[in-house]
Amino acid sequence: MSQHEQTIRIFEHPGAGRRKAKAMPKGRGIDPQAAHDIALLLGDSPRRRDLLIEHLHRIQDTYKQISAAHLAALADEMKLAFSEVFETATFYAHFDVVKEGDPAIPPLTIRVCDSLTCAMLGAEKLLGELQEASGPGVRVVRAPCVGRCDTAPVAEVGHNFIDHANAHNVMDAVEQEDTHVQLPDYVEYEQYVAEGGYKLLNSLRAGTFATEDLLKVLDDSSLRGLGGAGFPTGRKWRSVLSMPGPRLMAINGDEGEPGTFKDRYYLERDPHRFLEGTLIGAHVVEADEVYIYIRDEYPAVREILAREIDKLPPDGPTLHLRRGAGAYICGEESALLESIEGKRGYPRHKPPYPFQVGLFGRPTLINNVETLFWVRDLVEKGADWWKSQGRNDRQGLRSYSVSGRVKNPGVKLAPAGLTIRELIEEYCGGMADGHTFRAYLPGGASGGMLPASMDDIPLDFGTLEKYGCFIGSAAVIVLSDQDDIRQAALNLMRFFEDESCGQCTPCRVGTQKAALLMTEDVWDQELLGELSQAMRDASICGLGQAASNPLTSVLKYFTELFPAQGRAQ
């Protein structure tokens, strides 16, 4: 064979004439001990893709971290690509993934909430004191809002929340190894039934109360979604029912908006009123399965619901409890569905909408916890009862989560449409001693900020939008003359920066850039304005679209803080 022919053959057949390399297995090797650990931990549980997050929680709860070996073994056990498991585990804040070569994470974690209300009441000082006081085996980290703003500042030791936290009571819990969930008193199944519970549901199932009559009550009362968007409940149920089955139902219990804690309040006190509303909704839309998604910061709620669901009669739809993992974005309805399916909480592009193509590709009814909580009362007391509750030409009741500089913070069930002054004076005992009312957030972190001079606006859907704000989930945070308005706005922007899912550039980069600009002594108002507009116009979901609301409202209504106008030099 000529040299030319050899060259051609080598070109046509790479490796020809060379010694064949030893075959190497593809992918990541599985540690036998890690494989044994995972198989034992999962037991007889299904290995379905939608249970990935649940299985990650098992590892985290057992080992207080997730090692690379366990992550690889889980991927192998579930027949998933390692990259799928890794990207999901690292997306959620409550999964402590330890990469190869990294040191192990201490077995006990103390989380200190640093969202706005806790920050106002000393979270930064508490964080520093705990970092100094903690010894080996204890990790102290920041945490976004944990839904206990009425008892700020708050720390979490394991799964035990310390209200009105200070270094002394937190370290006492550490020393006493008091890290377990504390359950409050609540209305159990037997008491709820004895007081007339589930009669409405049973009459619907028996056909003695018509589905159409129930939908008419929802329509006549104008009950709207109380998770923030405010979509008419009756219309939503009818929309899902109009789609061909089979249908599903999902409950959005991922109450992560800083300042909001009303859903936790109701679930920790009267869980069956919510469960009955849920089962009524499932009956109306003929959903045979219901997925109840509860944020990971509410361990007591999950324990209560697990206990009480077990007491329900076996007839009716299957109720699945799903556990969040520390991602505010999963409060967005389509990100919620992605998380229930065991994926990263990335919002979906719309259309199609969830009522058309939702969970597992099926038409899905999505409702907030509080919306369902009121269904029984509405039907039993009538639409006129609900509509008669408003104030200032508004209708209905609202559960205002009030925190900050008031004497008596907490969930205040009050007429929809009352003003911030009425809320503070009539329901909160006035301002805290030594504090003068200066500003307020009417709808949590994303609802904007208004000065005390604008204290006569009815707090309800549709009343705040013309001011660049909205009521949302009615999370009201009250600031005083002792609070730094600019620092409050920066705190909120940092929250959005941290909680952005990262899927779209306007939100991912916009929140980061805005937070950086807001640390300057002189704010570049023109540039911040342009950045805010880009985020509103181009972000995929409501997080990015609303993230700049506190910033823009501060620039608009607190002009005394910005004597220099225009672009910073």
Side-chain angles (χ1 to χ4, degrees), residues 497-536:
E497 176 190 6
D498 186 59
E499 294 295 337
S500 172
C501 75
Q503 181 179 190
C504 70
T505 302
C507 177
R508 181 184 68 249
V509 178
T511 52
Q512 180 184 42
K513 181 65 174 177
L516 181 63
L517 290 170
M518 292 166 72
T519 61
E520 299 293 332
D521 291 337
V522 178
W523 286 9
D524 189 332
Q525 297 180 60
E526 184 179 343
L527 183 56
L528 283 168
E530 293 171 359
L531 190 59
S532 298
Q533 190 63 51
M535 291 165 62
R536 285 193 296 271

Side-chain angles (χ1 to χ4, degrees), residues 243 337 348 352-364:
M243 302 302 296
L337 300 180
R348 299 175 180 177
Y353 296 95
F355 82 90
Q356 299 166 313
V357 180
L359 191 59
F360 307 120
R362 291 163 62 176
T364 303

Side-chain angles (χ1 to χ4, degrees), residues 84-112:
E84 289 182 83
V85 178
F86 180 81
E87 71 180 11
T88 300
T90 53
F91 179 85
Y92 295 93
H94 290 183
F95 294 141
D96 295 317
V97 178
V98 180
K99 300 176 184 177
E100 291 180 358
D102 287 352
I105 292 171
L108 179 62
T109 295
I110 300 173
R111 287 185 166 87
V112 179

